[in-house]
Amino acid sequence: MTALILIDVQRGFDDPRAGKRNNPAAESNIKTLLDAWTTAGQPLVLVRHDSLFKGSPLEQGTPGARFKPELDGAEPDLMFTKHVNSAFHGAVDLHQWLTAKGINRIVLAGIQTNMCVETTARVGGNLGYEVHVALDATFTFDQAGPDGTVLTADELSRATATNLHGGGFATVTSTQEVLTLLG
């Protein structure tokens, strides 16, 4: 079995305060994955980031914390919240749940590429999972470094792909390639 883990696909990321994003096709690709997993009857996990910071676009209980419309009608096998980057450190012990289900391969998609998706991939790789990241089913935002230099969202996505691939944490792939895992 292969579990699809959709990370932080939330309305709060549409807030203009988030800045300039990349990959306008991400939501469509996320929906393609969701539909394929549902049709195949493979395990689906939805993870939501509930920020503990007052005024955050993802603040728990606000409209921004809700899932994006692409997830409407989804019937996950597991849904839980988290307050940190990795889905493996949420309100549910994801590692324990996957192990109990005999799942050793996971596909990751969602928001943000270089934050929660990358962190979850790294932890999953460290835990021994066969991790696949559908990079075209993720997006992120331009971000300034400590010296004020801004990296574009596309540069950050490429860096994530390089980090995950070069570090052996995950196979970085596309939505269409991931669909072949459903065989």
Side-chain angles (χ1 to χ4, degrees):
M1 280 192 292
T2 302
L4 174 63
I5 303 174
L6 297 178
I7 302 168
D8 304 347
V9 183
Q10 294 168 253
R11 297 169 193 250
F13 287 108
D14 295 333
D15 188 298
R17 292 177 288 174
K20 185 178 174 196
R21 70 170 267 191
N22 71 333
N23 193 14
E27 288 90 345
S28 174
N29 289 329
I30 289 167
K31 179 72 170 143
T32 296
L33 290 171
L34 172 63
D35 291 346
W37 250 256
T38 300
T39 299
Q42 291 293 303
L44 171 64
V45 177
L46 301 182
V47 183
R48 189 181 74 225
H49 190 98
D50 278 351
S51 176
L52 300 175
F53 298 102
K54 189 84 173 140
S56 165
L58 302 176
E59 183 180 351
Q60 185 175 358
T62 66
R66 293 181 52 217
F67 289 123
K68 287 178 165 267
E70 289 78 9
L71 301 189
D72 287 352
E75 296 182 16
D77 297 278
L78 176 65
M79 200 283 295
F80 63 94
T81 61
K82 63 179 183 57
H83 306 298
V84 297
N85 300 101
S86 175
F88 284 98
H89 298 96
V92 167
D93 186 334
L94 179 59
H95 178 54
Q96 181 181 19
W97 186 85
L98 292 167
T99 300
K101 299 284 185 190
I103 299 168
N104 62 359
R105 181 168 56 189
I106 58 176
V107 171
L108 305 179
I111 310 166
Q112 287 178 250
T113 311
N114 58 316
M115 299 287 184
C116 297
V117 175
E118 182 175 345
T119 305
T120 301
R122 286 171 175 261
V123 174
N126 284 163
L127 290 171
Y129 291 95
E130 179 185 326
V131 181
H132 296 262
V133 176
L135 196 65
D136 64 350
T138 72
F139 71 83
T140 194
F141 302 92
D142 293 358
Q143 190 171 21
D147 65 355
T149 301
V150 174
L151 294 181
T152 68
D154 283 337
E155 290 171 325
L156 290 167
S157 281
R158 283 193 303 275
T160 290
T162 302
N163 290 338
L164 295 177
H165 172 79
F169 295 105
T171 299
V172 180
T173 188
S174 69
T175 296
Q176 289 307 309
E177 290 172 354
V178 160
L179 294 178
T180 66
L181 297 174
L182 293 174

